Amino acid sequence: MLNSFSKINEWRQQMAAQPKEYFDIETAAKKDSYLIDTETLAPEVLASKFKKFSGVEKVFYLTMVVAALVLAVGLLYVKTKTLEVQGNTMDLRTKISQETTRKSEYDQQIL
């Protein structure tokens, strides 16, 4: 029992001492372990996964990306228009308060 705890601690120290790298599922499955492959880079993995997609899958995912971009731009547009309307509203409120003040001054002059 004590021997298994020492092996676990030794394994933890080895894993902690390794540099941070990208995880490769295929290598882990082939070697029947979850060790990190130092030869694999994340962009290459993504590129290879993207190449394996069928045409329909590529169109679907690219459509999702385009839709997300359109939504982001739309939200920015709506936000800027909202801020513009708020600014115009404040200007109109100040003009209304100035006119109300001027009207009350004229009313006092008449009386």
Side-chain angles (χ1 to χ4, degrees):
M1 185 77 169
L2 185 61
N3 191 18
S4 64
F5 285 124
S6 64
K7 286 183 181 181
I8 291 172
N9 285 335
E10 181 180 317
W11 178 78
R12 285 183 183 168
Q13 289 174 350
Q14 287 175 353
M15 294 306 288
Q18 291 180 358
K20 184 177 181 181
E21 293 152 351
Y22 297 101
F23 184 74
D24 184 15
I25 299 282
E26 292 176 9
T27 305
K30 288 177 187 173
K31 294 180 180 179
D32 195 30
S33 69
Y34 292 103
L35 295 177
I36 297 171
D37 185 16
T38 58
E39 302 296 321
T40 306
L41 298 175
E44 293 172 356
V45 171
L46 291 176
S48 68
K49 298 289 182 192
F50 191 74
K51 288 178 184 176
K52 292 178 185 177
F53 286 156
S54 69
V56 174
E57 289 174 320
K58 287 180 184 178
V59 169
F60 173 74
Y61 289 120
L62 290 176
T63 303
M64 296 301 281
V65 168
V66 169
L69 289 174
V70 167
L71 281 173
V73 169
L75 287 173
L76 286 174
Y77 177 77
V78 168
K79 184 68 174 173
T80 55
K81 284 298 180 181
T82 303
L83 291 174
E84 181 181 340
V85 168
Q86 286 177 348
N88 291 341
T89 304
M90 292 301 291
D91 290 341
L92 290 174
R93 284 184 181 173
T94 55
K95 287 180 183 178
I96 289 171
S97 66
Q98 289 172 353
E99 291 297 323
T100 305
T101 306
R102 184 181 302 160
K103 182 181 178 258
S104 66
E105 288 174 0
Y106 288 147
D107 287 343
Q108 287 178 0
Q109 288 178 358
I110 292 174
L111 295 175

